[in-house]
Amino acid sequence: MKKFLILLLTFSLTLSLFSCTTPPETLSGSSDDTEETREIKYSDESDYDYLIVLLNNSMMHKLYPEEGIVVPLCPDPLCKHNSQSCPFFQASPSICKRGNIIYYLRKGNSQAYYLDICKFDLDSGKYEVLYGANGFTISGLYATEDYLFFKAMSVRPNEGTGYKVMRYDIKTKEVVELMTEYVVGDLTLLNHDAERLYWSESRIYYSTDYDYKNKKENDRGFHANMSTGDYSFSIDFPDAVSNLRQITSFNRKTGEEKVIVESTRGLLIAYKGKVIYTLPDEVVFIGNKISGSSEKTVGVYDKYGGKLYISNADGSDAKLLCDLTGNNCALDMGPTTVGGCDGVGDYIVWPLWYYETVDEENNIVKRRPFTGRFDFPDKFAVINYKTGEYKIIDTVE
């Protein structure tokens, strides 16, 4: 289904940046193309009847919203999908989709870093490792028609983690270092059009051509998964104290910029001209949990509230879409679909943490399944963005 945090939020998250949220389609161009013909065509709906999601062990799955089922993406009926022998085991959220092809990163071994760039044909089921890193690790991926751009990541002595932009030619398989030096700090690829690549370094925007020449400063780009129609969005921290954020809408044709949500706790889905988001409602009490060896009970709350709201891309006609409270579920921070799409037809999905009651008398709840991390959802809410009707899909086998 079809997908900077902008600014500090995007940089700090995963959704993982230089990240490949699905690249937009572009119109073919020539040297005498006008600005209009070079305009990016955003597509926020999946051209398949499923979404790609990551579950435990970063295993890629297909989520069919209308049927309400989740199945492994791996086509091998004999594969157990729980070890390195499965090509979709421990994949990165940096997944790019172009037509029927997805490009993604996976660890390639038992270590914590991504080393391999992989290709999978959704129609034929053919899998291929395109490139294996040597001497550095890979932290992000982005795809255009002819190239894969990614970040070589290296820890610089006394400096911190540094990044260098690399380019992989899909046709010739040639790998080129576009940067001569490592950049220490935030570096996030945002998007591309038929001629230029857009990115940010430490909240300053740049663009270059695909050879990393003709660099322009303050040439702004937007994430494809934070765009719909003529609009793109950013989520920013308005002050250094509060953890509340605000959503700003940008009309790419007129240049109009407008804050459409003054305060929110989570992320957003931009889909078919609409924006779906959370508001800082009163936190919802889910139950109690036993804390540590002291066995004290502490309350469990959904800090994002249990409600989702929807508005037009310019912030107009804002209203409650649905209320997910009362399901022993907590809203996750934001959508975790990958490959650039957040919806299929009339449906979007939102990830949930699920708590089951283990002691009814004392209202003790426990997250299920407990993975030790909160990267992967326990359930998904599949929501009709037109009516607000929803159903909850369990991801636990």
Side-chain angles (χ1 to χ4, degrees), residues 42 113 330 363:
Y42 290 93
Y113 300 103
N363 195 21

Side-chain angles (χ1 to χ4, degrees), residues 54-60 81-83 88-91 371 373 376:
L54 289 179
L55 300 183
N56 289 343
N57 290 319
S58 295
M59 266 296 304
M60 278 192 273
H81 320 299
N82 60 2
S83 70
F88 304 97
F89 182 76
Q90 293 185 330
T371 62
R373 301 171 63 189
F376 308 107

Side-chain angles (χ1 to χ4, degrees), residues 46-339:
S46 172
D47 46 6
Y48 290 81
D49 59 349
Y50 58 83
L51 296 172
I52 298 175
V53 297
L54 289 179
L55 300 183
N56 289 343
N57 290 319
S58 295
M59 266 296 304
M60 278 192 273
H61 285 65
K62 293 188 289 187
L63 186 156
Y64 292 86
E66 193 158 1
E67 294 82 358
I69 59 174
V70 178
V71 297
L73 181 63
C74 178
D76 184 352
L78 301 179
C79 182
K80 295 182 178 180
H81 320 299
N82 60 2
S83 70
Q84 288 293 331
S85 62
C86 178
F88 304 97
F89 182 76
Q90 293 185 330
S92 166
S94 294
I95 298 176
C96 303
K97 180 177 173 294
R98 296 200 64 84
N100 62 316
I101 302 297
I102 61 172
Y103 301 97
Y104 65 98
L105 307 179
R106 68 187 298 258
K107 294 181 180 179
N109 57 33
S110 61
Q111 302 304 311
Y113 300 103
Y114 299 103
L115 300 174
D116 294 340
I117 300 177
C118 305
K119 172 184 176 182
F120 181 69
D121 189 314
L122 294 169
D123 293 339
S124 70
K126 182 180 179 181
Y127 163 78
E128 181 182 0
V129 177
L130 300 179
Y131 178 78
N134 185 14
F136 56 85
T137 58
I138 303 174
S139 62
L141 184 68
Y142 202 87
T144 67
E145 186 70 27
D146 300 312
Y147 300 110
L148 300 179
F149 294 92
F150 61 95
K151 290 190 298 185
M153 184 176 73
S154 177
V155 177
R156 317 305 297 161
N158 303 319
E159 295 181 20
T161 302
Y163 302 95
K164 182 182 292 187
V165 179
M166 311 281 282
R167 188 187 72 195
Y168 174 91
D169 190 305
I170 295 173
K171 294 179 180 178
T172 67
K173 299 186 177 182
E174 178 187 20
V175 178
V176 176
E177 294 185 7
L178 295 181
M179 287 182 169
T180 57
E181 302 291 338
Y182 280 95
V183 173
V184 177
D186 295 321
L187 191 157
T188 305
L189 275 185
L190 296 173
N191 220 318
H192 70 277
D193 59 23
E195 294 182 353
R196 299 189 70 78
L197 187 69
Y198 299 87
W199 80 97
S200 65
E201 292 178 27
S202 301
R203 300 171 67 167
I204 299 175
Y205 303 99
Y206 300 93
S207 74
T208 68
D209 60 24
Y210 288 173
D211 292 322
Y212 206 74
K213 298 177 180 178
N214 303 314
K215 183 176 179 180
K216 296 181 181 179
E217 188 171 339
N218 297 321
D219 194 10
R220 189 171 201 169
F222 298 93
H223 275 311
N225 70 321
M226 304 257 312
S227 301
T228 181
D230 295 333
Y231 289 85
S232 294
F233 308 90
S234 71
I235 302 180
D236 312 309
F237 290 91
D239 59 68
V241 179
S242 172
N243 66 350
L244 295 177
R245 308 161 181 106
Q246 64 183 22
I247 300 175
T248 302
S249 171
F250 301 86
N251 187 314
R252 298 190 308 277
K253 282 194 172 180
T254 66
E256 181 183 5
E257 178 176 336
K258 178 183 178 183
V259 175
I260 61 173
V261 179
E262 292 289 347
S263 61
T264 178
R265 294 186 187 275
L267 300 182
L268 62 85
I269 287 178
Y271 187 65
K272 290 192 172 183
K274 302 291 184 179
V275 185
I276 297 94
Y277 53 91
T278 65
L279 290 177
D281 294 333
E282 292 184 12
V283 292
V284 178
F285 176 72
I286 296 173
N288 297 302
K289 69 176 180 179
I290 298 176
S291 177
S293 59
S294 65
E295 296 191 351
K296 291 182 179 179
T297 58
V298 296
V300 175
Y301 298 88
D302 182 354
K303 67 179 180 179
Y304 302 113
K307 300 176 182 179
L308 293 176
Y309 296 82
I310 188 169
S311 75
N312 294 327
D314 61 1
S316 63
D317 195 25
K319 60 185 177 182
L320 176 69
L321 176 62
C322 62
D323 186 348
L324 299 174
T325 58
N327 293 295
N328 268 27
C329 290
L331 290 177
D332 203 343
M333 186 173 194
T336 57
T337 55
V338 294

